[in-house]
């Protein structure tokens, strides 16, 4: 059985916690897209971890973690991350890296930073992890695939060709130091040393695992609204965040993905620029940010304060639809226990008309939230294990949102830990 765990919104919905929790029953966890630009925060019996590249299943010794072909592989970050968890007492994880994954090179990260600098106030708020330059190069067919590390002759020719092209940008657009082909070759050889023991044909490995009936989890990064096609383009990420892409980024047939667990947070948060209709500001936002997540809503990679907002039914319904949600995991609900009334965005007013359908970016910029206020429950719901034991107003909040988005909320997360989950 293959399940995908993906986000319905702007990312940071709590996918890491849900994956870590579901990984108990899984044999294999696969990252299929994205790179080290976003982070998952996971709290378990080993402590609190911020993972950027490793799948969230690395904390169990019965799982295999796969870096799929669709990932932007930052080799040194991956190995630093493995070392950092092993140093904290986690058993050496079993990791496989796709021979078809491509690698983020140091010039991708440099160019990412130079471009943000060039754009100044109009920047995307990139984490400068090299993701956009990396995926541009992949699709322009000038990226470095892991398999190429094992062909010296090819690499020696290719580093010259790539340096020539990148140096035009570096010299004339960014006025920055140029790439030396020998240094680029050295960098690739470093990566080869680190990655070699883990490389294999992961699509074949997964094909056999599917045949043997293994439990496989595909772990998405970010959420629907950051998808390059279906998200808030151009304020999106550079690889598809949809469960459908799991088939491509892992190399399995699309019909094998039988469950799409779509994670929705009980309120909204976003990082980076772009329209965010239910956004709140000032003291109201500060309080939600401070109480949010586990220890506040600050970026796992950058430490930046996240933008905050009320739950957005329009965006979440759209987010679940594009994921093809079979189950919704509704997270971080415990955080809302302090509010007398909880506003929820139930529609967008655009040019004087109210819609419940999420529009394309140029209309989104004009949308004003239509808010409905639901009564709060004013108590701590952590520790509750049965749905019926939740306060009535809390159940009403869940059921109202479920009817607005039109997808079944089958899991409610009421705390950051593995055990903090209520199944319905
Ligand atoms: P991801 O990228 O989707 O995995 O999300 P993040 O890890 O960036 O953000 C989720 C944050 O919320 C993390 O700090 C989690 O520990 C925390 N978290 C997840 N589920 C819950 C929950 O149900 N309650 C609380 N209070 N925190 C949660």
């Amino acid at each position: 059985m293959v399940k995908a765990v993906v986000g319905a919104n702007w990312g940071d919905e709590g996918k890491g916690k849900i994956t870590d929790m579901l990984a108990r029953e899984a044999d294999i966890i696969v990252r299929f897209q994205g790179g080290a630009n976003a982070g998952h925060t996971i709290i378990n019996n080993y402590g609190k971890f911020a993972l950027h590249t490793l799948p969230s299943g690395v904390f169990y010794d019965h799982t295999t973690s796969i870096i799929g072909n669709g990932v932007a592989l930052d080799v040194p970050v991956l190995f630093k991350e493995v070392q950092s968890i092993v140093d904290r007492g986690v058993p050496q994880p079993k990791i496989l890296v796709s021979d078809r994954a491509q690698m983020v090179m140091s010039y991708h990260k440099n160019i990412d930073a130079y471009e943000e600098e060039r754009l100044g106030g109009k920047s995307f708020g990139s984490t400068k992890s090299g993701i956009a330059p990396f995926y541009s190069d992949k699709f322009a067919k000038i990226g470095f695939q892991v398999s190429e590390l094992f062909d010296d002759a090819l690499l020696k020719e290719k580093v010259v060709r790539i340096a020539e092209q990148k140096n035009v940008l570096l010299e004339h657009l960014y006025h920055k130091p140029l790439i030396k082909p020998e240094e680029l070759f050295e960098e690739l050889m470093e990566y080869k040393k680190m990655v070699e023991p883990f490389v294999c044909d992961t699509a074949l490995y997964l094909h056999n695992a599917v045949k043997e009936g293994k439990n496989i989890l595909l772990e998405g990064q970010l959420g629907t609204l950051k998808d390059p096609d279906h998200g808030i383009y151009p304020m999106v990420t550079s690889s598809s965040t949809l469960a459908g892409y799991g088939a491509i980024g892992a190399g399995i047939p699309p019909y094998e993905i039988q469950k799409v667990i779509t994670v929705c947070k009980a309120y909204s948060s976003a990082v980076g620029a772009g329209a965010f209709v239910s956004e709140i500001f000032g003291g109201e936002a500060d309080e939600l940010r401070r109480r949010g997540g586990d220890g506040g809503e600050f970026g796992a990679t950058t430490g930046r304060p996240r933008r905050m907002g009320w739950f957005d039914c329009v965006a979440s319904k759209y987010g679940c639809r594009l994921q093809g949600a079979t189950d919704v995991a509704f997270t971080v609900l415990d955080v809302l226990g302090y509010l007398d009334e909880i506003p929820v965005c139930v529609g967008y007013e655009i040019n004087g008309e109210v819609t419940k359908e999420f529009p394309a970016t140029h209309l989104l910029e004009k949308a004003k939230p239509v808010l409905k206020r639901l009564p709060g429950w004013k108590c701590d719901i952590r520790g509750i294990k049965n749905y019926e034991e939740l306060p009535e107003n809390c159940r009403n909040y869940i059921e109202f949102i479920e009817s607005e988005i039109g997808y079944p909320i089958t899991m409610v997360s009421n705390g950051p830990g593995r055990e903090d989950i209520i199944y319905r």
Side-chain angles (χ1 to χ4, degrees), residues 2-4 6 30-33 68-70 202-203 206 218-219 240-258 260:
V2 183
K3 297 179 188 168
V6 289
V30 191
R31 283 281 314 265
F32 62 89
Q33 47 91 219
N69 53 276
T202 52
L206 287 169
L218 305 178
E219 180 180 22
S240 175
T241 56
L242 301 184
Y245 191 75
I248 298 159
I252 57 170
Y255 54 77
E256 295 293 353
I257 306 174
Q258 290 169 17
V260 179

Side-chain angles (χ1 to χ4, degrees), residues 13-14 17-18 21 41 43 293-294 330-335 380-385 412-422:
E13 299 94 347
K17 177 237 160 106
I18 300 293
M21 190 187 90
T41 312
I43 299 168
D294 181 64
F330 195 55
T331 59
V332 209
L333 187 60
D334 50 302
V335 160
D380 187 2
I381 59 163
R382 281 209 194 176
I384 294 178
K385 297 275 175 230
V412 175
S413 173
N414 58 338
R418 272 178 189 170
E419 313 301 326
D420 303 321
I421 195 81
I422 300 169

